[in-house]
Amino acid sequence: MKEDIKPFTIRDIEPVVNALKRLNRVHSQAMTLFVIDADGRMTGTLTDGDIRRGLIAGRGVDNPVSDVMHRDFSHLTNPVDVSHIKELRSRSITLIPILDSEHRIVDIVDLTKNRSALPVDAVLMAGGKGERLRPMTLTTPKPLLEIGGRAIIDRNIDSLINYGVNRISVTVNYLAEQLTAHYATPVANGVKVECVPEERFYGTIGALKMVKEFENDTILVMNSDILTNIDYEDFYLHFRRNGAMLSAAAIPYTISVPYGIFGLDGNRITSVAEKPVYNLYANAGIYLMRREAMRYIPDNEVFNATDLIESLVADGQTVIRYPLSGLWIDIGTPEEYRKACELARHLS
């Protein structure tokens, strides 16, 4: 059992008074203990409300916790069912055990700290030179430029961690030593960010092959220099529901033409559209993909995310788009950087 799980567990034979003391020491907003038997199997949950109801029913503080515990408890199994987490969150259940096939606790999802627990490995591409943002990027890699007092990339990593992503890699090239030093120690919630050297520029997704190993079957790949409040849980559930090989986040992009537009067949006019409006979707630079899609990415070659999409489509694989309706700014120009800095003043 992990050391950080032990404070939340109690043996079924311990007296209720001990449970009260343990609940008083639990360092979490979710005041819950998990009751285990002699073999380490979980048999119930215990809150101060369960104890109060037990006392009202005539149980004493010297009774074993098994007399007052809640036996019909909710739990998760591996691989984690994210839709189940969402359902439990809607019921205000915030501390959820993950059990193995023997009903032993292998981990805990604490929704007072994180919004979800996505079974995803994340890779952020941070090797670009940011040439359009010079002179700011002459001595600082673009992902480390600050927005509202925090580095752009840190905002994205903190958001991923908030959704329970704890396997995070960052591909580095230009001024790589600064990013490597920046992530030399663990970040929020003790998550260690691994910096992966990109020997040369491999395009917007080619460096993915430089990551040594992945733990999960789903990989999230994104540009490190965007400002977004995308709901990663909804993105993931949409991806899984559609059984896709790859899902690309897409932002609505509207083009309004202030003129009458002819439909043509050669030089013959076939129709006239007066001041048409075209509603399109643009690539947001955030992708979810199954790990097996890695086989479409060549080794040691420049390969872009658009190349991967085209390869998957050509092979008949399911590639979908996820409509991103929230905040999204690609910080590529001084104007966009200033806009992102202004918006960051109003973001938590």
Side-chain angles (χ1 to χ4, degrees):
M1 183 182 294
K2 294 181 178 179
E3 288 300 316
D4 56 350
I5 295 176
K6 289 182 180 179
F8 294 97
T9 61
I10 189 168
R11 273 294 315 278
D12 51 3
I13 60 173
E14 287 204 42
V16 170
V17 66
N18 286 3
L20 287 169
K21 294 175 183 178
R22 295 283 296 279
L23 282 170
N24 198 45
R25 293 198 301 266
V26 169
H27 40 272
S28 170
Q29 295 178 35
M31 301 291 287
T32 304
L33 294 176
F34 301 130
V35 183
I36 58 174
D37 64 16
D39 294 319
R41 290 187 290 262
M42 184 171 170
T43 57
T45 57
L46 190 69
T47 66
D48 56 355
D50 295 319
I51 295 174
R52 185 171 59 252
R53 285 185 286 273
L55 294 175
I56 292 172
R59 304 289 191 272
V61 293
D62 293 325
N63 280 64
V65 296
S66 57
D67 285 355
V68 297
M69 69 183 185
H70 184 68
R71 297 176 183 273
D72 185 19
F73 57 90
S74 299
H75 69 279
L76 300 166
T77 57
N78 278 322
V80 171
D81 182 349
V82 176
S83 61
H84 192 194
I85 292 178
K86 186 175 182 180
E87 186 264 330
L88 293 175
R89 190 173 65 238
S90 71
R91 290 162 46 194
S92 299
I93 296 175
T94 55
L95 202 65
I96 314 166
I98 301 177
L99 307 183
D100 63 15
S101 59
E102 300 295 324
H103 255 232
R104 293 184 175 91
I105 305 171
V106 294
D107 210 343
I108 294 173
V109 175
D110 188 347
L111 296 182
T112 66
K113 295 180 179 179
N114 298 325
R115 178 171 175 77
S116 191
L118 301 184
V120 167
D121 285 37
V123 181
L124 288 81
M125 300 295 176
K129 295 182 177 181
E131 293 177 335
R132 291 179 296 167
L133 281 171
R134 289 184 175 179
M136 289 187 291
T137 52
L138 286 174
T139 57
T140 303
K142 183 166 66 167
L144 290 183
L145 292 178
E146 291 192 354
I147 293 178
R150 296 168 63 203
I152 299 168
I153 189 171
D154 284 347
R155 286 183 173 272
N156 289 316
I157 286 178
D158 288 350
S159 182
L160 289 167
I161 291 173
N162 185 44
Y163 281 89
V165 178
N166 54 30
R167 296 271 302 185
I168 301 176
S169 301
V170 175
T171 63
V172 297
N173 184 304
Y174 177 67
L175 300 177
E177 67 282 355
Q178 292 190 34
L179 282 156
T180 301
H182 187 73
Y183 292 117
T185 56
V187 293
N189 292 346
V191 174
K192 183 71 174 70
V193 175
E194 180 185 3
C195 288
V196 180
E198 188 180 6
E199 299 167 359
R200 59 186 178 87
F201 293 110
Y202 288 117
T204 57
I205 210 166
L208 198 60
K209 297 298 286 283
M210 307 299 293
V211 180
K212 293 180 180 179
E213 63 178 353
F214 294 97
E215 182 177 283
N216 295 290
D217 290 330
T218 303
I219 303 171
L220 185 143
V221 184
M222 67 181 294
N223 299 337
S224 63
D225 53 1
I226 56 180
L227 181 65
T228 181
N229 63 354
I230 183 173
D231 185 332
Y232 290 107
E233 183 183 72
D234 192 60
F235 186 21
Y236 174 83
L237 290 173
H238 182 267
F239 170 72
R240 298 292 296 180
R241 281 196 305 269
N242 285 277
M245 179 67 76
L246 182 145
S247 176
I251 56 169
Y253 190 80
T254 301
I255 299 175
S256 299
V257 182
Y259 310 107
I261 300 299
F262 293 141
L264 299 174
D265 181 6
N267 63 359
R268 186 168 66 89
I269 296 174
T270 58
S271 63
V272 179
E274 186 63 32
K275 299 180 180 179
V277 176
Y278 300 98
N279 296 308
L280 309 173
Y281 278 94
N283 188 356
I286 311 172
Y287 313 93
L288 278 172
M289 53 186 276
R290 284 155 58 182
R291 185 163 49 176
E292 63 183 280
M294 292 276 292
R295 63 188 174 90
Y296 290 85
I297 302 175
D299 294 327
N300 302 315
E301 290 185 22
V302 176
F303 201 71
N304 293 316
T306 49
D307 298 324
L308 176 59
I309 290 172
E310 289 175 348
S311 296
L312 291 172
V313 170
D315 196 38
Q317 299 292 344
T318 301
V319 178
I320 63 173
R321 68 97 172 94
Y322 171 78
L324 199 169
S325 58
L327 171 66
W328 181 88
I329 300 177
D330 178 16
I331 305 169
T333 65
E335 180 182 1
E336 290 162 341
Y337 179 68
R338 286 191 294 270
K339 180 180 178 182
C341 288
E342 177 63 27
L343 281 172
R345 293 170 54 190
H346 307 287
L347 297 176
S348 59

